[in-house]
Amino acid sequence: MKTAVFPGTFDPPTLGHMEIIERAAVLFDRLYVAVVAENAKHPHPLSLQERLKFLKAMVSPLNNVEVVSFSGLVVDFAEKQNAGFLVRGLRNGFDFEYESQMASANREMTGVETVLLIASPQYSHISSTLIREIAANGRRLEGFVPKIVEEAIFQSLKPNLPPKS
Ligand code: ADP
């Protein structure tokens, strides 16, 4: 049985993440979408509980996909799940630089292989950072994130949104 882990911050989960999940679910018998528990990178609009809840709703039609949280090294989590593969998405050359370094380091540590899936052109401009920026300025997120995520982001940002003119 081929098991893979798709790790990420998913803050927030986007349609770009969803495309990678759907494609990876076809390639592997079992796929763990593993959400980084702590998020020191930036103040995030979505809590871990919210990120898990939305991802679970998003993957509910896919019966070989499970959403879990993890902390520490992804290679340790993958080993615990007996997963021989990591999945990551590639949008551009910057992603490639970062992902190729991570993939080599991870393989060096435990032998885990990283499968890099190239984003479809219609999703390659979507990043969680961009979405947080758009949402913080009160613009709609249609076409970037699933509807349930859009509503939750606006609820959580409401007190900070610039007043409407
Ligand atoms: P991390 O902080 O681990 O990079 P992210 O949630 O930002 O977490 O990204 C998780 C994975 O999803 C990364 O491999 C990233 O390249 C990929 N990814 C993010 N957005 C997209 C997208 N629009 N299309 C394809 N892959 C994406």
Side-chain angles (χ1 to χ4, degrees):
M1 171 147 131
K2 283 198 180 354
T3 303
V5 174
F6 178 33
T9 313
F10 303 105
D11 188 18
T14 69
L15 294 178
H17 292 132
M18 190 59 209
E19 195 219 1
I20 299 297
I21 293 169
E22 282 170 341
R23 287 165 54 191
V26 175
L27 295 176
F28 298 99
D29 302 306
R30 179 152 204 79
L31 178 70
Y32 289 97
V33 176
V35 183
V36 176
E38 70 282 348
N39 187 357
K41 277 206 295 198
H42 46 72
H44 47 84
L46 298 183
S47 67
L48 173 63
Q49 279 63 34
E50 284 175 306
R51 287 178 280 147
L52 289 171
K53 183 174 85 182
F54 296 135
L55 281 163
K56 281 180 184 168
M58 287 159 68
V59 309
S60 64
L62 305 169
N63 51 27
N64 61 338
V65 180
E66 195 177 329
V67 177
V68 291
S69 69
F70 79 103
S71 44
L73 294 177
V74 69
V75 288
D76 291 331
F77 175 77
E79 244 179 8
K80 247 195 309 193
Q81 308 303 329
N82 268 325
F85 303 89
L86 301 178
V87 170
R88 297 282 286 176
L90 281 189
R91 287 161 292 188
N92 49 44
F94 295 111
D95 277 355
F96 178 77
E97 288 289 322
Y98 177 72
E99 298 297 344
S100 59
Q101 186 190 20
M102 287 304 302
S104 299
N106 287 334
R107 193 158 71 94
E108 175 76 24
M109 282 187 279
T110 64
V112 70
E113 287 286 2
T114 299
V115 174
L116 298 173
L117 297 179
I118 301 197
S120 295
Q122 68 267 35
Y123 298 119
S124 62
H125 60 289
I126 301 178
S127 76
S128 297
T129 308
L130 174 72
I131 284 161
R132 287 193 302 275
E133 189 67 31
I134 297 171
N137 287 285
R139 275 208 171 261
R140 297 289 312 276
L141 295 172
E142 208 176 343
F144 292 92
V145 298
K147 193 110 207 91
I148 40 165
V149 176
E150 177 174 18
E151 275 155 24
I153 291 176
F154 280 115
Q155 289 306 321
S156 77
L157 289 173
K158 233 180 207 162
N160 304 321
L161 284 179
K164 284 214 162 72
S165 50

